[in-house]
């Protein structure tokens, strides 16, 4: 009879399979939601949000206002949120928490400013005043488009990405950590007696110049040592 296989104990800090899948899913959802949300906001703010008719001496002229004409806040916050989404992977610990909070606040600010701009006609009235030459020119037959709410939906996606980053971001990988590990591994291989660097390689020549050495004198010294 064969002995029953004894289950190996799981390391204390090693996440379970469902937890690991949850962290990977949160990362994928946050990246997709953040990128899609920023794209929706930037697209929506470039489209027509409101239109109306301005009364002038010759009759009436149609006027329209894009999202950027009504409020520039959603577009600016979308850029801030997108930058914060990228910066999450370049920082750690408290810095990652601060950047995640900035991402969430950017999304919330987009939602609020887009909702306020959905019924704002100040930009139309300003354009009507310029056309008519009057300080307070009235605007008639004002109509609004769904684009402000598209921008608000993009803000919700950015807010979702920020909330996920706040909840799971400490478990996500960091770009700096990967490079640091690669550099540490390279230094460890050198300490263990790895192959000596080739002085004729271009990168070694540049390193010698950075140290203030003359790389052209190295072969001469080596030949002299071998002759001695």
């Amino acid at each position: 009879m064969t002995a029953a296989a004894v289950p190996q104990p799981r390391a204390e800090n090693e996440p379970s399979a469902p937890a690991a899948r949850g962290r990977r899913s949160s990362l994928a959802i946050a990246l997709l939601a953040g990128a899609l949300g920023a794209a929706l906001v930037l697209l929506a703010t470039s489209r027509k949000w409101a239109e109306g008719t301005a009364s002038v001496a010759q009759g009436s002229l149609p006027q329209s206002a894009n999202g950027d004409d009504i409020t520039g806040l959603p577009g600016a916050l979308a850029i801030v949120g997108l930058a914060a989404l990228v910066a999450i992977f370049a920082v750690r610990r408290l810095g990652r928490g601060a950047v995640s909070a900035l991402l969430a606040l950017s999304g919330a600010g987009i939602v609020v400013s887009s909702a306020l701009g959905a019924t704002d006609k100040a930009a139309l009235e300003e354009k009507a005043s310029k056309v008519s030459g009057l300080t307070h020119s009235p605007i008639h037959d004002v109509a609004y488009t769904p684009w402000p709410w598209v921008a608000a939906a993009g803000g919700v996606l950015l807010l979702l990405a920020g909330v996920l980053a706040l909840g799971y971001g400490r478990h996500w990988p960091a770009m700096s950590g990967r490079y640091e590990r690669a550099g540490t591994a390279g230094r460890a291989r050198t300490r263990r007696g790895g192959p000596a660097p080739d002085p004729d390689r271009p990168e070694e020549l540049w390193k010698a110049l950075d140290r203030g050495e003359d790389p052209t004198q190295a072969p001469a010294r080596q030949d002299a040592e071998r002759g001695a």
Side-chain angles (χ1 to χ4, degrees):
M1 297 177 63
T2 59
V6 179
Q8 297 296 326
R10 182 168 56 88
E12 183 178 354
N13 295 329
E14 181 181 353
S16 61
R21 286 195 298 269
R23 294 171 184 177
R24 289 193 297 267
S25 299
S26 67
L27 174 58
I29 293 172
L31 287 174
L32 180 61
L36 180 59
L40 282 178
V41 175
L42 294 175
L43 173 66
T45 53
S46 66
R47 296 298 189 268
K48 184 191 302 181
W49 282 24
E51 56 186 356
T53 303
S55 299
V56 295
Q58 295 81 8
S60 60
L61 288 175
Q63 300 295 317
S64 63
N66 294 339
D68 291 328
D69 297 329
I70 293 176
T71 172
L73 191 57
L77 289 177
I79 296 175
V80 171
L82 191 59
L85 181 64
V86 175
I88 286 175
F89 302 97
V91 295
R92 293 183 177 185
R93 298 184 179 89
L94 294 178
R96 178 166 289 189
V99 174
S100 301
L102 178 61
L103 175 58
L105 290 174
S106 298
I110 291 171
V111 173
V112 174
S113 58
S114 298
L116 293 176
T119 56
D120 191 341
K121 61 178 182 179
L124 288 176
E125 292 175 344
E126 181 179 355
K127 288 189 173 185
S129 299
K130 291 180 179 178
V131 171
S132 64
L134 302 176
T135 304
H136 300 288
S137 179
I139 190 80
H140 306 286
D141 303 326
V142 178
Y144 300 96
T145 69
W147 284 109
W149 304 111
V150 174
V156 171
L157 291 175
L158 282 169
L159 176 59
L160 172 62
V163 171
L164 289 173
L166 286 170
Y168 299 94
R170 64 184 181 275
H171 303 297
W172 294 348
M175 291 185 295
S176 58
R178 183 180 62 197
Y179 296 135
E180 287 172 4
R181 287 194 298 271
T184 303
R187 290 192 296 271
R189 284 194 298 270
T190 303
R191 286 195 298 268
R192 288 197 298 267
D198 185 359
D200 293 332
R201 297 180 63 183
E203 56 268 25
E204 296 301 330
L205 295 177
W206 283 112
K207 290 179 182 178
L209 290 173
D210 290 338
R211 293 192 298 267
E213 301 175 0
D214 186 357
T216 61
Q217 300 300 323
R221 286 197 303 268
Q222 292 175 0
D223 293 340
E225 292 174 357
R226 284 196 295 267

